[in-house]
Structures are given as C-alpha cells and as structure tokens.
Amino acid sequence: MTHVARDLGIHKEALRSWVRQAEADAGERDDRLTSSELEELKQLRKENAELRRANEILKAASVFFAQEIDRPRTRPSR
C-alpha cells in the first residue's frame, strides 16, 4: 500500500482510508458505516439541528405570547 500511495502521490493513510471505505461500501467490513450511511447520518444531523433551532424559536414565541396574554389591558379613555 505504501508503494501504491507513493506512486499516486498521496499519503499512505489517505489510501488506506479509501480502501477501508470501499470495503465497507462493498459489504466486506462491518466496523465502518457505508458511504450511504454516512450521508444519511450527515443529513439527519443537519435536520436535527434545524429542528432544534425551530424548537427554540417556538419556545421563545410561546413565552412572548404567554406574557402578552397575562399582561393587564388598559382601556383607552374616551
């Protein structure tokens, strides 16, 4: 692997990582996620972050509106 990496002009650990990923994608390894699983995980983490942000916005809005509802109203003078 070292010789092949040198011939390709890349670091041997980069080549080793690519080979391991290719083996995982081919179902030859079960100690790594496949590329499709990694992509799905990335998308789910992104979606989770968006949902957390939306949840924080909704919490802040509910506090704001609860304060508005609880605030005493003054009648306009005639």
Side-chain angles (χ1 to χ4, degrees):
M1 195 167 300
T2 302
H3 296 295
V4 173
R6 189 178 313 125
D7 290 345
L8 294 173
I10 59 174
H11 194 275
K12 66 181 179 182
E13 290 305 317
L15 180 58
R16 186 182 319 274
S17 177
W18 295 343
V19 169
R20 287 181 180 160
Q21 190 61 55
E23 291 170 346
D25 290 346
E28 298 169 7
R29 302 181 73 106
D30 60 357
D31 62 334
R32 291 179 74 120
L33 296 176
T34 65
S35 293
S36 62
E37 290 170 330
L38 287 169
E39 183 60 31
E40 180 182 13
L41 180 59
K42 178 181 170 185
Q43 291 297 333
L44 289 172
R45 285 179 174 165
K46 182 179 177 183
E47 182 180 347
N48 193 4
E50 290 171 6
L51 291 171
R52 286 179 191 270
R53 281 191 295 275
N55 196 27
E56 288 302 314
I57 291 168
L58 291 171
K59 283 180 184 178
S62 68
V63 168
F64 173 79
F65 288 119
Q67 291 171 348
E68 288 294 310
I69 290 171
D70 290 342
R71 188 167 46 163
R73 304 278 184 225
T74 58
R75 294 185 181 206
S77 57
R78 292 184 181 197

